Amino acid sequence: MDSQKKICVLGLGYIGLPTASILASAGHKVVGVDTNLEVVKVLQNHGLHIHEPGLRELVGKVTSSGDLSFSSTPQLADTFILAVPTPMGRNKSADLQYVKSATRSILPYLREGNMVILESTVPPGTVKRVVLPILSESGLDVGIDIFVAHSPERVLPGRILVELVENNRIVGGIDEESTRRAHDLYASFVEGKILCTDCTTAEMVKLIENTFRDINIAYANELAKICESIGINVWEAIKLANYHPRVNVHKPGPGVGGHCIAIDPWFIVEVAPELAKLISLGRLTNDLMPTHVVKTVNTIVRPESKIAVLGLAFKGDVDDVRESPAICIVDKLEKQGYEVEVYDPYVKVFRGREIDDLQGAVENSDLVLVLTDHSDFKEVDVQSIADLVNTRRVFDTKNCLDREVWESARFIYYLLGDGKSRFSEFPVEQEAAIAIEVEVSPGES
Ligand code: SAJ
């Protein structure tokens, strides 16, 4: 291909590795760089340190064709793409240490005519305030000798390879020439629209998207609690509301996890704390959901009971446990004296401890607590679980199980946000007592 580039992708995580692989399959010569020697070694030995559908096959293809290789240090290239983590630091502000060190690491390799693209999610203004001053240390004239842009990744874990190609892409350069060059690079593999702007707007767009989702989920979570208290099933109510052509309320759940939605809104708060009121409240609302789940568990089983937690990952069909509300819930339950056994088909080790299989986790349990909507959970053999548990109770915080199947195996089914089937929210003995009370209550005839 005429426009073939030598590209150095820094950071081989959930974004960097898929991006490097797709660029390689689009005809570029790519070197994937990571400072974690273990990760580089695994990849060089044809292994994979992350789970993402289709990634193993793609990485295998482009490494054996020689279009993608791995290294622990950068190399000379036409384009440098920085896809490093931006964790939340102290005071909920962005920790930019990896952005800074990755930028610094390319200085010896920068040459006139190179392009540097930051893909990591950052607070608005980071390219100008943090990246450009470091790049200037190279002695090259930024904007004349080298070109710089921000192009936020916006792909959904579990669909990364599809979305990298099909999604629309935002590209914002520090000047028109940088924007144009970044546009042309992404045009080599993006099938969606490539939308051009300035770099600070591009930074903000990414945060706006994830914050929109966070606030929407916070609304759903608040509605769930309200519906529980007034005898409505929130899932039914939201489903009906969403028939309106201009309404799209998201789903309630045990909280918001992952490295993006649970963090990015704070990057807006960081730059305008006095103004970002709704954004902070949405975040806090979602952060309180694990406490709500634990409080509900307290109404179902006593602290010395055994709880089988199904799902540790922050969302269905991924192996990522970063910021997972499930971890927070497990911690809280253990602190209260519950015996907690975890099962997750995608997570093999948790805190140095090997995770049990499904049978081991549910054996002798008093409550099956579902915290992640893995597809596997929809297909489990409910009858075999019924035979293993001590008490047949299941609490579905994701509305991902087939209620009828569990109830026909004689489980009491509790659903987060469901105030309509209130009676099933009490243990069997209490349920029977309430039923009698209702029968004899005056004025009912
Ligand atoms: N969640 C709910 N209710 C919902 C949707 C999600 O409780 O209705 C929870 C999930 O269970 C999970 C969390 O929110 O714990 C986040 O999951 P997600 O699927 O909404 O998002 P992520 O973090 O996997 O990916 C998001 C995506 N952003 C948007 O959809 C606007 C993705 O496109 C971004 O690329 C990614 O963040 C990122 O890297 O920033």
Side-chain angles (χ1 to χ4, degrees), residues 15 121 153-157 163 167 206 209-210 213 217 221 250-261 264 314-315 325 373 398:
I15 300 305
T121 306
E153 62 77 15
R154 293 139 81 230
V155 289
L156 201 67
E163 293 207 352
N167 283 7
K206 164 68 190 254
E209 293 166 352
N210 279 356
R213 202 158 164 84
I217 298 168
N221 282 331
H250 289 359
K251 296 187 187 104
V256 168
H259 182 57
C260 310
I261 297 194
D264 296 356
F314 83 94
K315 67 181 214 171
D373 49 351
K398 295 293 289 184

PDB file of all heavy atoms in Angstrom, residues 15 121 153-157 163 167 206 209-210 213 217 221 250-261 264 314-315 325 373 398, ligand 1:
ATOM      1  N   ILE A  15      -6.917  -1.550  24.654  1.00  0.00           N
ATOM      2  CA  ILE A  15      -7.041  -0.686  23.472  1.00  0.00           C
ATOM      3  C   ILE A  15      -5.802  -0.811  22.584  1.00  0.00           C
ATOM      4  O   ILE A  15      -5.908  -1.001  21.375  1.00  0.00           O
ATOM      5  CB  ILE A  15      -7.249   0.793  23.899  1.00  0.00           C
ATOM      6  CG1 ILE A  15      -8.522   0.921  24.743  1.00  0.00           C
ATOM      7  CG2 ILE A  15      -7.292   1.719  22.681  1.00  0.00           C
ATOM      8  CD1 ILE A  15      -9.774   0.394  24.081  1.00  0.00           C
ATOM      9  N   THR A 121      -7.828   8.279  27.459  1.00  0.00           N
ATOM     10  CA  THR A 121      -8.840   9.247  27.906  1.00  0.00           C
ATOM     11  C   THR A 121      -8.215  10.178  28.939  1.00  0.00           C
ATOM     12  O   THR A 121      -7.631   9.719  29.922  1.00  0.00           O
ATOM     13  CB  THR A 121     -10.015   8.487  28.540  1.00  0.00           C
ATOM     14  OG1 THR A 121     -10.480   7.519  27.603  1.00  0.00           O
ATOM     15  CG2 THR A 121     -11.142   9.426  28.905  1.00  0.00           C
ATOM     16  N   GLU A 153     -10.233   6.619  22.074  1.00  0.00           N
ATOM     17  CA  GLU A 153     -10.831   5.312  21.762  1.00  0.00           C
ATOM     18  C   GLU A 153     -12.208   5.299  22.375  1.00  0.00           C
ATOM     19  O   GLU A 153     -12.430   5.869  23.441  1.00  0.00           O
ATOM     20  CB  GLU A 153      -9.937   4.185  22.295  1.00  0.00           C
ATOM     21  CG  GLU A 153      -9.747   4.186  23.817  1.00  0.00           C
ATOM     22  CD  GLU A 153     -10.920   3.640  24.586  1.00  0.00           C
ATOM     23  OE1 GLU A 153     -11.777   2.997  23.951  1.00  0.00           O
ATOM     24  OE2 GLU A 153     -10.990   3.867  25.801  1.00  0.00           O
ATOM     25  N   ARG A 154     -13.180   4.693  21.698  1.00  0.00           N
ATOM     26  CA  ARG A 154     -14.557   4.695  22.213  1.00  0.00           C
ATOM     27  C   ARG A 154     -15.217   3.343  22.020  1.00  0.00           C
ATOM     28  O   ARG A 154     -16.421   3.238  21.816  1.00  0.00           O
ATOM     29  CB  ARG A 154     -15.348   5.793  21.502  1.00  0.00           C
ATOM     30  CG  ARG A 154     -14.839   7.177  21.880  1.00  0.00           C
ATOM     31  CD  ARG A 154     -14.778   8.095  20.691  1.00  0.00           C
ATOM     32  NE  ARG A 154     -16.078   8.642  20.414  1.00  0.00           N
ATOM     33  CZ  ARG A 154     -16.655   8.647  19.225  1.00  0.00           C
ATOM     34  NH1 ARG A 154     -16.038   8.087  18.208  1.00  0.00           N
ATOM     35  NH2 ARG A 154     -17.844   9.181  19.055  1.00  0.00           N
ATOM     36  N   VAL A 155     -14.395   2.294  22.088  1.00  0.00           N
ATOM     37  CA  VAL A 155     -14.919   0.954  21.805  1.00  0.00           C
ATOM     38  C   VAL A 155     -15.378   0.238  23.069  1.00  0.00           C
ATOM     39  O   VAL A 155     -14.883   0.485  24.154  1.00  0.00           O
ATOM     40  CB  VAL A 155     -13.852   0.095  21.090  1.00  0.00           C
ATOM     41  CG1 VAL A 155     -13.648   0.606  19.674  1.00  0.00           C
ATOM     42  CG2 VAL A 155     -12.539   0.114  21.850  1.00  0.00           C
ATOM     43  N   LEU A 156     -16.319  -0.656  22.868  1.00  0.00           N
ATOM     44  CA  LEU A 156     -16.923  -1.369  23.985  1.00  0.00           C
ATOM     45  C   LEU A 156     -16.203  -2.701  24.203  1.00  0.00           C
ATOM     46  O   LEU A 156     -16.131  -3.512  23.283  1.00  0.00           O
ATOM     47  CB  LEU A 156     -18.392  -1.630  23.638  1.00  0.00           C
ATOM     48  CG  LEU A 156     -19.333  -1.902  24.793  1.00  0.00           C
ATOM     49  CD1 LEU A 156     -19.493  -0.665  25.653  1.00  0.00           C
ATOM     50  CD2 LEU A 156     -20.686  -2.339  24.276  1.00  0.00           C
ATOM     51  N   PRO A 157     -15.683  -2.918  25.428  1.00  0.00           N
ATOM     52  CA  PRO A 157     -15.075  -4.220  25.694  1.00  0.00           C
ATOM     53  C   PRO A 157     -16.032  -5.353  25.315  1.00  0.00           C
ATOM     54  O   PRO A 157     -17.234  -5.276  25.582  1.00  0.00           O
ATOM     55  CB  PRO A 157     -14.824  -4.186  27.205  1.00  0.00           C
ATOM     56  CG  PRO A 157     -14.663  -2.732  27.522  1.00  0.00           C
ATOM     57  CD  PRO A 157     -15.607  -2.016  26.582  1.00  0.00           C
ATOM     58  N   GLU A 163     -15.910  -2.676  16.823  1.00  0.00           N
ATOM     59  CA  GLU A 163     -16.162  -1.241  16.979  1.00  0.00           C
ATOM     60  C   GLU A 163     -14.977  -0.375  16.538  1.00  0.00           C
ATOM     61  O   GLU A 163     -15.176   0.741  16.080  1.00  0.00           O
ATOM     62  CB  GLU A 163     -16.565  -0.937  18.423  1.00  0.00           C
ATOM     63  CG  GLU A 163     -17.918  -1.548  18.776  1.00  0.00           C
ATOM     64  CD  GLU A 163     -18.657  -0.802  19.876  1.00  0.00           C
ATOM     65  OE1 GLU A 163     -18.085   0.103  20.489  1.00  0.00           O
ATOM     66  OE2 GLU A 163     -19.832  -1.149  20.116  1.00  0.00           O
ATOM     67  N   ASN A 167     -17.112   1.904  14.272  1.00  0.00           N
ATOM     68  CA  ASN A 167     -17.564   3.138  14.948  1.00  0.00           C
ATOM     69  C   ASN A 167     -17.093   4.387  14.209  1.00  0.00           C
ATOM     70  O   ASN A 167     -16.084   4.370  13.516  1.00  0.00           O
ATOM     71  CB  ASN A 167     -16.985   3.219  16.366  1.00  0.00           C
ATOM     72  CG  ASN A 167     -17.713   2.315  17.335  1.00  0.00           C
ATOM     73  OD1 ASN A 167     -18.558   1.538  16.945  1.00  0.00           O
ATOM     74  ND2 ASN A 167     -17.362   2.410  18.608  1.00  0.00           N
ATOM     75  N   LYS A 206     -15.108  12.626  24.365  1.00  0.00           N
ATOM     76  CA  LYS A 206     -15.035  11.295  24.972  1.00  0.00           C
ATOM     77  C   LYS A 206     -15.643  11.306  26.377  1.00  0.00           C
ATOM     78  O   LYS A 206     -16.402  10.405  26.765  1.00  0.00           O
ATOM     79  CB  LYS A 206     -13.564  10.862  25.018  1.00  0.00           C
ATOM     80  CG  LYS A 206     -13.250   9.703  25.924  1.00  0.00           C
ATOM     81  CD  LYS A 206     -13.863   8.421  25.405  1.00  0.00           C
ATOM     82  CE  LYS A 206     -13.772   7.317  26.418  1.00  0.00           C
ATOM     83  NZ  LYS A 206     -12.795   6.323  26.137  1.00  0.00           N
ATOM     84  N   GLU A 209     -19.470  11.558  26.372  1.00  0.00           N
ATOM     85  CA  GLU A 209     -20.146  10.298  26.038  1.00  0.00           C
ATOM     86  C   GLU A 209     -20.270   9.394  27.262  1.00  0.00           C
ATOM     87  O   GLU A 209     -21.345   8.886  27.583  1.00  0.00           O
ATOM     88  CB  GLU A 209     -19.363   9.564  24.950  1.00  0.00           C
ATOM     89  CG  GLU A 209     -19.373  10.265  23.607  1.00  0.00           C
ATOM     90  CD  GLU A 209     -18.328   9.710  22.648  1.00  0.00           C
ATOM     91  OE1 GLU A 209     -17.488   8.881  23.053  1.00  0.00           O
ATOM     92  OE2 GLU A 209     -18.343  10.122  21.492  1.00  0.00           O
ATOM     93  N   ASN A 210     -19.152   9.189  27.931  1.00  0.00           N
ATOM     94  CA  ASN A 210     -19.193   8.264  29.074  1.00  0.00           C
ATOM     95  C   ASN A 210     -19.979   8.842  30.247  1.00  0.00           C
ATOM     96  O   ASN A 210     -20.624   8.105  30.992  1.00  0.00           O
ATOM     97  CB  ASN A 210     -17.766   7.882  29.494  1.00  0.00           C
ATOM     98  CG  ASN A 210     -17.210   6.785  28.610  1.00  0.00           C
ATOM     99  OD1 ASN A 210     -17.914   6.260  27.740  1.00  0.00           O
ATOM    100  ND2 ASN A 210     -15.963   6.419  28.804  1.00  0.00           N
ATOM    101  N   ARG A 213     -23.666   8.317  29.775  1.00  0.00           N
ATOM    102  CA  ARG A 213     -24.064   6.953  30.133  1.00  0.00           C
ATOM    103  C   ARG A 213     -24.112   6.786  31.658  1.00  0.00           C
ATOM    104  O   ARG A 213     -25.010   6.164  32.203  1.00  0.00           O
ATOM    105  CB  ARG A 213     -23.055   5.977  29.514  1.00  0.00           C
ATOM    106  CG  ARG A 213     -23.569   4.577  29.347  1.00  0.00           C
ATOM    107  CD  ARG A 213     -22.771   3.867  28.284  1.00  0.00           C
ATOM    108  NE  ARG A 213     -22.954   2.431  28.336  1.00  0.00           N
ATOM    109  CZ  ARG A 213     -23.950   1.777  27.772  1.00  0.00           C
ATOM    110  NH1 ARG A 213     -24.871   2.443  27.116  1.00  0.00           N
ATOM    111  NH2 ARG A 213     -24.038   0.468  27.863  1.00  0.00           N
ATOM    112  N   ILE A 217     -27.406   5.815  33.767  1.00  0.00           N
ATOM    113  CA  ILE A 217     -27.460   4.614  34.631  1.00  0.00           C
ATOM    114  C   ILE A 217     -27.814   5.029  36.064  1.00  0.00           C
ATOM    115  O   ILE A 217     -28.576   4.337  36.749  1.00  0.00           O
ATOM    116  CB  ILE A 217     -26.112   3.841  34.586  1.00  0.00           C
ATOM    117  CG1 ILE A 217     -25.827   3.347  33.168  1.00  0.00           C
ATOM    118  CG2 ILE A 217     -26.134   2.654  35.550  1.00  0.00           C
ATOM    119  CD1 ILE A 217     -24.406   2.839  32.933  1.00  0.00           C
ATOM    120  N   ASN A 221     -30.724   3.601  38.321  1.00  0.00           N
ATOM    121  CA  ASN A 221     -30.499   3.054  39.665  1.00  0.00           C
ATOM    122  C   ASN A 221     -31.375   3.753  40.703  1.00  0.00           C
ATOM    123  O   ASN A 221     -31.911   3.114  41.614  1.00  0.00           O
ATOM    124  CB  ASN A 221     -29.015   3.165  40.042  1.00  0.00           C
ATOM    125  CG  ASN A 221     -28.179   2.072  39.378  1.00  0.00           C
ATOM    126  OD1 ASN A 221     -28.690   0.980  39.101  1.00  0.00           O
ATOM    127  ND2 ASN A 221     -26.918   2.348  39.107  1.00  0.00           N
ATOM    128  N   HIS A 250     -31.296   3.772  30.652  1.00  0.00           N
ATOM    129  CA  HIS A 250     -30.427   2.597  30.725  1.00  0.00           C
ATOM    130  C   HIS A 250     -30.909   1.638  31.816  1.00  0.00           C
ATOM    131  O   HIS A 250     -31.969   1.848  32.400  1.00  0.00           O
ATOM    132  CB  HIS A 250     -28.986   3.036  30.955  1.00  0.00           C
ATOM    133  CG  HIS A 250     -28.373   3.688  29.745  1.00  0.00           C
ATOM    134  ND1 HIS A 250     -29.054   3.846  28.573  1.00  0.00           N
ATOM    135  CD2 HIS A 250     -27.150   4.217  29.529  1.00  0.00           C
ATOM    136  CE1 HIS A 250     -28.270   4.440  27.686  1.00  0.00           C
ATOM    137  NE2 HIS A 250     -27.099   4.686  28.253  1.00  0.00           N
ATOM    138  N   LYS A 251     -30.081   0.640  32.093  1.00  0.00           N
ATOM    139  CA  LYS A 251     -30.510  -0.417  33.029  1.00  0.00           C
ATOM    140  C   LYS A 251     -29.917  -0.197  34.419  1.00  0.00           C
ATOM    141  O   LYS A 251     -28.745   0.151  34.546  1.00  0.00           O
ATOM    142  CB  LYS A 251     -30.024  -1.776  32.519  1.00  0.00           C
ATOM    143  CG  LYS A 251     -30.622  -2.180  31.201  1.00  0.00           C
ATOM    144  CD  LYS A 251     -30.213  -3.603  30.879  1.00  0.00           C
ATOM    145  CE  LYS A 251     -30.648  -4.012  29.494  1.00  0.00           C
ATOM    146  NZ  LYS A 251     -29.548  -4.032  28.534  1.00  0.00           N
ATOM    147  N   PRO A 252     -30.715  -0.468  35.446  1.00  0.00           N
ATOM    148  CA  PRO A 252     -30.144  -0.434  36.799  1.00  0.00           C
ATOM    149  C   PRO A 252     -29.254  -1.660  37.008  1.00  0.00           C
ATOM    150  O   PRO A 252     -29.228  -2.559  36.171  1.00  0.00           O
ATOM    151  CB  PRO A 252     -31.369  -0.488  37.707  1.00  0.00           C
ATOM    152  CG  PRO A 252     -32.436  -1.123  36.885  1.00  0.00           C
ATOM    153  CD  PRO A 252     -32.120  -0.855  35.437  1.00  0.00           C
ATOM    154  N   GLY A 253     -28.543  -1.697  38.111  1.00  0.00           N
ATOM    155  CA  GLY A 253     -27.665  -2.828  38.388  1.00  0.00           C
ATOM    156  C   GLY A 253     -26.950  -2.630  39.717  1.00  0.00           C
ATOM    157  O   GLY A 253     -27.276  -1.713  40.469  1.00  0.00           O
ATOM    158  N   PRO A 254     -25.947  -3.482  39.982  1.00  0.00           N
ATOM    159  CA  PRO A 254     -25.265  -3.413  41.284  1.00  0.00           C
ATOM    160  C   PRO A 254     -24.248  -2.281  41.376  1.00  0.00           C
ATOM    161  O   PRO A 254     -23.566  -2.149  42.380  1.00  0.00           O
ATOM    162  CB  PRO A 254     -24.565  -4.769  41.358  1.00  0.00           C
ATOM    163  CG  PRO A 254     -24.292  -5.113  39.937  1.00  0.00           C
ATOM    164  CD  PRO A 254     -25.444  -4.573  39.137  1.00  0.00           C
ATOM    165  N   GLY A 255     -24.128  -1.484  40.327  1.00  0.00           N
ATOM    166  CA  GLY A 255     -23.159  -0.390  40.326  1.00  0.00           C
ATOM    167  C   GLY A 255     -22.495  -0.308  38.972  1.00  0.00           C
ATOM    168  O   GLY A 255     -22.771  -1.125  38.099  1.00  0.00           O
ATOM    169  N   VAL A 256     -21.651   0.683  38.805  1.00  0.00           N
ATOM    170  CA  VAL A 256     -20.991   0.884  37.516  1.00  0.00           C
ATOM    171  C   VAL A 256     -19.498   0.615  37.689  1.00  0.00           C
ATOM    172  O   VAL A 256     -18.862   1.169  38.569  1.00  0.00           O
ATOM    173  CB  VAL A 256     -21.234   2.318  37.016  1.00  0.00           C
ATOM    174  CG1 VAL A 256     -20.323   2.648  35.846  1.00  0.00           C
ATOM    175  CG2 VAL A 256     -22.694   2.475  36.600  1.00  0.00           C
ATOM    176  N   GLY A 257     -18.980  -0.270  36.853  1.00  0.00           N
ATOM    177  CA  GLY A 257     -17.560  -0.598  36.965  1.00  0.00           C
ATOM    178  C   GLY A 257     -16.826  -0.342  35.673  1.00  0.00           C
ATOM    179  O   GLY A 257     -17.329   0.319  34.762  1.00  0.00           O
ATOM    180  N   GLY A 258     -15.618  -0.900  35.605  1.00  0.00           N
ATOM    181  CA  GLY A 258     -14.802  -0.728  34.412  1.00  0.00           C
ATOM    182  C   GLY A 258     -13.905   0.479  34.568  1.00  0.00           C
ATOM    183  O   GLY A 258     -14.053   1.285  35.495  1.00  0.00           O
ATOM    184  N   HIS A 259     -13.003   0.577  33.608  1.00  0.00           N
ATOM    185  CA  HIS A 259     -11.997   1.617  33.730  1.00  0.00           C
ATOM    186  C   HIS A 259     -12.453   2.927  33.098  1.00  0.00           C
ATOM    187  O   HIS A 259     -11.709   3.908  33.067  1.00  0.00           O
ATOM    188  CB  HIS A 259     -10.700   1.129  33.063  1.00  0.00           C
ATOM    189  CG  HIS A 259      -9.609   2.125  33.204  1.00  0.00           C
ATOM    190  ND1 HIS A 259      -9.194   2.575  34.432  1.00  0.00           N
ATOM    191  CD2 HIS A 259      -8.878   2.820  32.280  1.00  0.00           C
ATOM    192  CE1 HIS A 259      -8.245   3.474  34.247  1.00  0.00           C
ATOM    193  NE2 HIS A 259      -8.042   3.632  32.956  1.00  0.00           N
ATOM    194  N   CYS A 260     -13.698   2.969  32.605  1.00  0.00           N
ATOM    195  CA  CYS A 260     -14.080   4.151  31.827  1.00  0.00           C
ATOM    196  C   CYS A 260     -15.203   4.936  32.489  1.00  0.00           C
ATOM    197  O   CYS A 260     -15.006   6.036  32.988  1.00  0.00           O
ATOM    198  CB  CYS A 260     -14.503   3.710  30.435  1.00  0.00           C
ATOM    199  SG  CYS A 260     -13.291   2.627  29.692  1.00  0.00           S
ATOM    200  N   ILE A 261     -16.390   4.320  32.488  1.00  0.00           N
ATOM    201  CA  ILE A 261     -17.565   5.074  32.944  1.00  0.00           C
ATOM    202  C   ILE A 261     -17.490   5.407  34.426  1.00  0.00           C
ATOM    203  O   ILE A 261     -17.989   6.434  34.873  1.00  0.00           O
ATOM    204  CB  ILE A 261     -18.835   4.280  32.570  1.00  0.00           C
ATOM    205  CG1 ILE A 261     -18.871   4.194  31.041  1.00  0.00           C
ATOM    206  CG2 ILE A 261     -20.082   4.943  33.125  1.00  0.00           C
ATOM    207  CD1 ILE A 261     -20.143   3.768  30.441  1.00  0.00           C
ATOM    208  N   ASP A 264     -14.259   8.347  34.160  1.00  0.00           N
ATOM    209  CA  ASP A 264     -14.197   9.517  33.271  1.00  0.00           C
ATOM    210  C   ASP A 264     -14.995  10.738  33.737  1.00  0.00           C
ATOM    211  O   ASP A 264     -14.534  11.873  33.560  1.00  0.00           O
ATOM    212  CB  ASP A 264     -14.634   9.124  31.844  1.00  0.00           C
ATOM    213  CG  ASP A 264     -13.666   8.119  31.230  1.00  0.00           C
ATOM    214  OD1 ASP A 264     -12.654   7.796  31.874  1.00  0.00           O
ATOM    215  OD2 ASP A 264     -13.938   7.660  30.112  1.00  0.00           O
ATOM    216  N   PHE A 314     -16.615  -6.647  35.727  1.00  0.00           N
ATOM    217  CA  PHE A 314     -17.467  -5.450  35.849  1.00  0.00           C
ATOM    218  C   PHE A 314     -18.668  -5.485  34.920  1.00  0.00           C
ATOM    219  O   PHE A 314     -19.623  -4.746  35.108  1.00  0.00           O
ATOM    220  CB  PHE A 314     -16.638  -4.179  35.649  1.00  0.00           C
ATOM    221  CG  PHE A 314     -16.406  -3.776  34.209  1.00  0.00           C
ATOM    222  CD1 PHE A 314     -17.242  -2.876  33.588  1.00  0.00           C
ATOM    223  CD2 PHE A 314     -15.338  -4.288  33.489  1.00  0.00           C
ATOM    224  CE1 PHE A 314     -17.037  -2.482  32.268  1.00  0.00           C
ATOM    225  CE2 PHE A 314     -15.122  -3.903  32.174  1.00  0.00           C
ATOM    226  CZ  PHE A 314     -15.973  -3.011  31.557  1.00  0.00           C
ATOM    227  N   LYS A 315     -18.624  -6.367  33.906  1.00  0.00           N
ATOM    228  CA  LYS A 315     -19.803  -6.541  33.054  1.00  0.00           C
ATOM    229  C   LYS A 315     -19.728  -7.893  32.349  1.00  0.00           C
ATOM    230  O   LYS A 315     -18.703  -8.585  32.421  1.00  0.00           O
ATOM    231  CB  LYS A 315     -19.930  -5.405  32.050  1.00  0.00           C
ATOM    232  CG  LYS A 315     -18.851  -5.357  31.009  1.00  0.00           C
ATOM    233  CD  LYS A 315     -19.137  -4.167  30.135  1.00  0.00           C
ATOM    234  CE  LYS A 315     -18.744  -4.391  28.724  1.00  0.00           C
ATOM    235  NZ  LYS A 315     -19.212  -3.332  27.856  1.00  0.00           N
ATOM    236  N   PRO A 325     -18.099  -3.383  40.648  1.00  0.00           N
ATOM    237  CA  PRO A 325     -18.913  -3.277  41.872  1.00  0.00           C
ATOM    238  C   PRO A 325     -18.988  -4.608  42.609  1.00  0.00           C
ATOM    239  O   PRO A 325     -19.176  -4.644  43.820  1.00  0.00           O
ATOM    240  CB  PRO A 325     -20.296  -2.836  41.369  1.00  0.00           C
ATOM    241  CG  PRO A 325     -20.289  -3.017  39.901  1.00  0.00           C
ATOM    242  CD  PRO A 325     -18.863  -3.051  39.442  1.00  0.00           C
ATOM    243  N   ASP A 373     -23.712 -10.079  34.327  1.00  0.00           N
ATOM    244  CA  ASP A 373     -24.603 -10.756  33.376  1.00  0.00           C
ATOM    245  C   ASP A 373     -23.830 -11.529  32.304  1.00  0.00           C
ATOM    246  O   ASP A 373     -23.997 -11.294  31.105  1.00  0.00           O
ATOM    247  CB  ASP A 373     -25.593  -9.756  32.742  1.00  0.00           C
ATOM    248  CG  ASP A 373     -24.915  -8.500  32.210  1.00  0.00           C
ATOM    249  OD1 ASP A 373     -23.694  -8.307  32.470  1.00  0.00           O
ATOM    250  OD2 ASP A 373     -25.581  -7.694  31.541  1.00  0.00           O
ATOM    251  N   LYS A 398     -28.964  -8.144  37.973  1.00  0.00           N
ATOM    252  CA  LYS A 398     -28.804  -7.693  36.587  1.00  0.00           C
ATOM    253  C   LYS A 398     -30.014  -8.035  35.709  1.00  0.00           C
ATOM    254  O   LYS A 398     -29.996  -7.758  34.509  1.00  0.00           O
ATOM    255  CB  LYS A 398     -27.562  -8.346  35.970  1.00  0.00           C
ATOM    256  CG  LYS A 398     -26.245  -7.955  36.605  1.00  0.00           C
ATOM    257  CD  LYS A 398     -25.866  -6.511  36.389  1.00  0.00           C
ATOM    258  CE  LYS A 398     -25.476  -6.188  34.983  1.00  0.00           C
ATOM    259  NZ  LYS A 398     -25.030  -4.785  34.825  1.00  0.00           N
TER     260      LYS A 398
HETATM  261  N1  SAJ B   1     -24.093  -0.612  33.122  1.00  0.00           N
HETATM  262  C1  SAJ B   1     -25.276  -0.526  33.826  1.00  0.00           C
HETATM  263  N2  SAJ B   1     -26.420  -0.255  33.127  1.00  0.00           N
HETATM  264  C2  SAJ B   1     -26.428  -0.069  31.782  1.00  0.00           C
HETATM  265  C3  SAJ B   1     -25.218  -0.169  31.074  1.00  0.00           C
HETATM  266  C4  SAJ B   1     -24.066  -0.439  31.777  1.00  0.00           C
HETATM  267  O1  SAJ B   1     -25.317  -0.669  35.049  1.00  0.00           O
HETATM  268  O2  SAJ B   1     -27.507   0.151  31.227  1.00  0.00           O
HETATM  269  C5  SAJ B   1     -22.850  -0.867  33.843  1.00  0.00           C
HETATM  270  C6  SAJ B   1     -22.115  -2.135  33.370  1.00  0.00           C
HETATM  271  O3  SAJ B   1     -22.593  -3.268  34.027  1.00  0.00           O
HETATM  272  C7  SAJ B   1     -20.689  -1.784  33.745  1.00  0.00           C
HETATM  273  C8  SAJ B   1     -20.619  -0.276  33.529  1.00  0.00           C
HETATM  274  O4  SAJ B   1     -21.954   0.172  33.528  1.00  0.00           O
HETATM  275  O5  SAJ B   1     -20.421  -2.075  35.094  1.00  0.00           O
HETATM  276  C9  SAJ B   1     -19.949   0.165  32.280  1.00  0.00           C
HETATM  277  O6  SAJ B   1     -20.265  -0.705  31.208  1.00  0.00           O
HETATM  278  P1  SAJ B   1     -20.607  -0.193  29.743  1.00  0.00           P
HETATM  279  O7  SAJ B   1     -20.931  -1.374  28.925  1.00  0.00           O
HETATM  280  O8  SAJ B   1     -21.620   0.862  29.785  1.00  0.00           O
HETATM  281  O9  SAJ B   1     -19.303   0.555  29.276  1.00  0.00           O
HETATM  282  P2  SAJ B   1     -17.741   0.209  29.180  1.00  0.00           P
HETATM  283  O10 SAJ B   1     -17.067   0.832  30.362  1.00  0.00           O
HETATM  284  O11 SAJ B   1     -17.491  -1.208  28.921  1.00  0.00           O
HETATM  285  O12 SAJ B   1     -17.374   1.031  27.861  1.00  0.00           O
HETATM  286  C10 SAJ B   1     -17.662   2.416  27.783  1.00  0.00           C
HETATM  287  C11 SAJ B   1     -18.306   2.697  26.434  1.00  0.00           C
HETATM  288  N3  SAJ B   1     -18.854   4.043  26.381  1.00  0.00           N
HETATM  289  C12 SAJ B   1     -20.114   4.300  25.985  1.00  0.00           C
HETATM  290  O13 SAJ B   1     -20.882   3.434  25.661  1.00  0.00           O
HETATM  291  C13 SAJ B   1     -20.519   5.729  25.946  1.00  0.00           C
HETATM  292  C14 SAJ B   1     -17.307   2.492  25.332  1.00  0.00           C
HETATM  293  O14 SAJ B   1     -17.830   2.894  24.078  1.00  0.00           O
HETATM  294  C15 SAJ B   1     -16.029   3.312  25.619  1.00  0.00           C
HETATM  295  O15 SAJ B   1     -15.036   3.129  24.637  1.00  0.00           O
HETATM  296  C16 SAJ B   1     -15.465   2.815  26.946  1.00  0.00           C
HETATM  297  O16 SAJ B   1     -16.446   3.102  27.953  1.00  0.00           O
HETATM  298  C17 SAJ B   1     -14.175   3.561  27.205  1.00  0.00           C
HETATM  299  O17 SAJ B   1     -13.119   2.996  26.926  1.00  0.00           O
HETATM  300  O18 SAJ B   1     -14.225   4.723  27.609  1.00  0.00           O
END
